[in-house]
Amino acid sequence: MQINLNLKEKVSSYKIYINELERLELKGKVGIVTNAKVAGLHLEKLLSVLKCDEKFIISVPDGEKYKNLETVEQILEQLFVSKFDRSSTLIAFGGGVISDMTGFAASIYERGINFINIPTTLLAQVDASVGGKTGVNNKFGKNLIGSFCQPKAVFCEINFLKTLPKREFAAGIAEALKMAITFDKEMFDWLKSINLDDENLAKLVEKSINLKAKVVEQDEKEKGLRAILNYGHTFAHVIENETNYKEFLHGEAVAIGMNMANRLSVRLGLMSEAQAEGIKQVLVKFGLPVSYKIENEYAFYEAFFMDKKTKDDKINFIIADKIGSAIIKNDVKKEDVLKILREFK
Ligand SMILES: NC(=O)c1ccc[n+]([C@@H]2O[C@H](COP(=O)([O-])OP(=O)(O)OC[C@H]3O[C@@H](n4cnc5c(N)ncnc54)[C@H](O)[C@@H]3O)[C@@H](O)[C@H]2O)c1
Ligand SMILES: [Zn+2]
């Protein structure tokens, strides 16, 4: 299965392959950026199918806390030592942390070399590996340093997902649900009705990537439509911050955030109670959390202004106005927001 992502700048367009890893054929030097966990589980498979002139394994430490400039420096250093040039390629082999860092390193090494994503988490397959947002965190916040740099291709292998822990798996479903709720009611109804066996899992990856590709094609640099994909994230970022990124996985925080956004939507008269409840039930069905104890709603509200997407003192809320459609609202009254935050006390 192949999905085309067509960009205005035609040379940047690329393909996303699902279960077609054997097509991976490269020229020149190839650096595989991965970590010990992913390498231990799946590197052998990758090495057995990868055709290229020379391979280098670049291992980085595992975890969001290592998604920083220091690790990018380490990657670059190995590229210099191994004399990579503009005809070389970097492969990101791991979850979203690896793809964000590898893409960024590829975009700045000698002003840009090719990179390919081979995502091994569900979250990275349905979301992070497609669309060309790359970057790292620093002490001022998440993803504040980075670039838009599209991969040359993406290879999703459903088999790699078999070793994912349950919570990581559910976190990926949260991002897929995000796309269904904001863009595709049919996909939402389908998700509501199915059990995720292998066949359905491949379909889920395919449907999510199709949606994400359509959105990126229309709005590569997030000037408008693509921002809809931040549904649930305005709330999630505050939750992640308040809990020091320790209590919830990103996708879990997004699930809670979507539930909060839906409460706001109900409050604004845009979504019915029944629709909000229906979404909540599907989140729960996939093992995702929907509640979070807000200690102080005023502090929670103030924290919205730390987000890099909050501009000119206006909070951008992505609100699903029904299932399969969402709008961006930046004029929600503070009192309405506080009211729904109190529901979570
Ligand atoms: N660029 C984008 O558009 C975009 C979109 C969404 C998220 N992101 C970023 O993605 C990151 C989150 O990605 P993630 O959820 O994949 O986290 P992650 O990369 O930290 O992976 C989660 C854990 O699973 C492990 N792992 C990876 N593959 C595995 C496998 N097949 N079996 C068992 N364990 C495996 C990883 O080593 C890690 O410990 C965040 O940094 C986020 O900012 C980027
Ligand atoms: Zn996300």
Side-chain angles (χ1 to χ4, degrees):
M1 152 69 58
Q2 299 175 11
I3 297 166
N4 291 312
L5 198 153
N6 298 309
L7 293 165
K8 284 198 190 79
E9 201 182 311
K10 287 220 163 40
V11 288
S12 302
S13 299
Y14 55 100
K15 278 192 163 66
I16 298 122
Y17 301 86
I18 302 176
N19 288 339
E20 297 194 4
L21 190 62
E22 66 284 353
R23 287 183 186 272
L24 185 57
E25 195 168 348
L26 299 164
K27 296 244 170 333
K29 292 180 179 174
V30 174
I32 301 169
V33 181
T34 187
N35 64 38
K37 192 190 284 173
V38 176
L41 293 165
H42 301 298
L43 186 59
E44 206 179 305
K45 168 74 187 172
L46 174 59
L47 293 176
S48 74
V49 293
L50 171 61
K51 296 172 267 312
C52 68
D53 297 326
E54 240 185 311
K55 302 168 195 172
F56 300 82
I57 312 298
I58 303 172
S59 192
V60 297
D62 187 9
E64 182 78 32
K65 73 167 189 249
Y66 298 105
K67 190 175 126 176
N68 54 32
L69 283 176
E70 204 182 318
T71 311
V72 169
E73 277 267 4
Q74 288 169 17
I75 298 170
L76 296 174
E77 179 136 355
Q78 297 209 37
L79 302 184
F80 286 114
V81 169
S82 309
K83 301 198 165 48
F84 272 52
D85 60 32
R86 288 264 180 86
S87 69
S88 312
T89 303
L90 271 190
I91 292 180
F93 189 51
V97 166
I98 298 260
S99 61
D100 278 9
M101 280 195 296
T102 306
F104 184 53
S107 79
I108 57 176
Y109 181 79
E110 295 188 351
R111 297 211 173 79
I113 59 171
N114 296 328
F115 89 102
I116 284 181
N117 273 325
I118 309 185
T120 61
T121 64
L122 183 56
L123 187 139
Q125 292 198 355
V126 300
D127 198 354
S129 67
V130 177
K133 275 196 198 174
T134 80
V136 294
N137 312 325
N138 72 355
K139 68 176 181 193
F140 295 100
K142 270 197 73 170
N143 301 326
L144 293 181
I145 300 169
S147 60
F148 280 98
C149 177
Q150 299 292 343
K152 285 284 167 237
V154 181
F155 291 84
C156 295
E157 287 295 299
I158 301 304
N159 256 331
F160 288 151
L161 305 178
K162 297 241 162 83
T163 54
L164 268 187
K166 252 194 180 148
R167 279 182 68 193
E168 295 288 355
F169 194 80
I173 296 178
E175 299 281 17
L177 273 167
K178 161 191 91 177
M179 292 182 229
I181 296 164
T182 50
F183 286 106
D184 191 342
K185 180 173 185 308
E186 239 172 68
M187 177 174 165
F188 178 80
D189 290 339
W190 174 77
L191 273 165
K192 197 159 92 178
S193 70
I194 54 148
N195 280 326
L196 267 183
D197 55 18
D198 281 7
E199 197 187 322
N200 281 333
L201 184 57
K203 272 194 203 154
L204 173 73
V205 171
E206 181 195 332
K207 284 175 193 284
S208 306
I209 294 175
N210 259 319
L211 272 176
K212 175 119 190 215
K214 291 257 152 50
V215 173
V216 172
E217 282 176 353
Q218 289 173 63
D219 180 22
E220 185 186 353
K221 302 275 165 74
E222 198 169 314
K223 303 265 188 265
L225 185 74
R226 189 168 176 178
I228 300 276
L229 295 178
N230 296 320
Y231 168 56
H233 285 62
T234 312
F235 294 94
H237 290 155
V238 178
I239 295 170
E240 288 179 296
N241 235 311
E242 281 198 346
T243 53
N244 288 319
Y245 296 89
K246 291 205 171 87
E247 201 167 322
F248 301 104
L249 297 175
H250 172 68
E252 292 176 330
V254 170
I256 301 168
M258 291 193 283
N259 188 34
M260 288 179 168
N262 295 344
R263 295 311 307 161
L264 186 57
S265 186
V266 172
R267 165 108 200 133
L268 299 176
L270 295 166
M271 182 185 268
S272 71
E273 284 281 355
Q275 283 170 325
E277 191 54 36
I279 293 175
K280 192 168 151 185
Q281 278 169 16
V282 177
L283 294 168
V284 171
K285 164 183 161 173
F286 287 109
L288 287 159
V290 287
S291 58
Y292 170 72
K293 185 151 176 34
I294 294 178
E295 297 292 340
N296 179 332
E297 69 272 30
Y298 298 99
F300 196 102
Y301 186 86
E302 284 311 311
F304 285 131
F305 296 96
M306 310 276 285
D307 200 307
K308 72 173 181 286
K309 296 196 172 97
T310 304
K311 297 238 162 64
D312 309 325
D313 285 350
K314 287 204 162 87
I315 310 167
N316 282 331
F317 287 107
I318 316 298
I319 310 274
D321 50 352
K322 55 181 187 267
I323 295 169
S325 151
I327 51 169
I328 304 173
K329 269 188 95 56
N330 67 6
D331 59 352
V332 183
K333 287 201 203 79
K334 183 174 177 180
E335 204 33 59
D336 283 322
V337 181
L338 288 173
K339 192 105 189 168
I340 71 107
L341 292 179
R342 278 183 205 118
E343 290 180 20
F344 290 82
K345 282 192 84 159

